[in-house]
Amino acid sequence: MNMRQDEITIWGGSTPRTFRPIWTAEELGLTYKHLPIGPRTGETLTPEYSRMNPKHKIPFAKDGGIELSESIAISRYFANKYAPLTGFYRPSGWADQAKEDEWICYIYGELDETSLYVMRRHGDLHEIYGSAPAAVESSKVYAEKHLNIIDRHMSGNDYVMGKEFGLADIILCSTLDWTHFYGFDLPVNLRGYRHRIMQRPAYQEAFAINYPHLIKE
């Protein structure tokens, strides 16, 4: 860590979106308090949480007097404030920042929101949002199209932004984990990339924190 940190608390657990800020914090060596409240458990509807986050969503984070929701915003904030000078990708200017954000927006928009979350809403959560098999299947096909596009990009890169691990990799690999949970057969470059990223100590620590029910004794 390259500067003194304030007291950090992260709310939320058990989802790919809550995994992202936890993993970012672990990569950056931050000390934080984790409150693993879940979605749709009633924990986001308490008066105390509602005052902090009237969206009633997770993840949510506080860093001193800063309060943030949305997984990418929290992770970006941690990276911008606390990333070391080496060992974590830091854009060298506006153009590099724009290229990193381009990949992050693309991964989040086309895979997370447009594809995987539609599958979740009308598959896992069909009792709440309604069953829509056609929407689930078309979303899977749509995700596969964009996974192939990202796979071609990764064929010449160790990481999303080239040779250095960074925030775009946290967003991509956390999303690839979601595709794994849903039984996708990843293209060869992405399959190897995910396996390699999963060996990172910070990934493994964050995974155990966020998904304790998936960790075998």
Side-chain angles (χ1 to χ4, degrees), residues 149-159 188-190 193:
I149 292 171
I150 299 170
D151 186 75
R152 290 195 292 273
H153 170 73
M154 295 309 301
S155 67
N157 292 292
D158 294 332
Y159 302 105
V188 63
N189 294 314
L190 285 182
Y193 164 82

Side-chain angles (χ1 to χ4, degrees), residues 34-91:
H34 179 228
L35 300 175
I37 65 174
R40 301 175 184 84
T41 62
E43 295 167 295
T44 62
L45 301 176
T46 65
E48 179 184 8
Y49 192 82
S50 296
R51 281 193 294 272
M52 294 187 300
N53 185 12
K55 299 174 185 175
H56 301 140
K57 298 289 187 178
I58 53 173
F60 183 74
K62 291 183 68 174
D63 177 21
I66 301 297
E67 300 182 350
L68 287 169
S69 61
E70 308 300 331
S71 65
I72 292 177
I74 298 167
S75 300
R76 166 65 75 198
Y77 169 81
F78 287 162
N80 283 350
K81 183 174 181 180
Y82 294 116
L85 296 179
T86 61
F88 195 95
Y89 179 78
R90 294 175 67 95

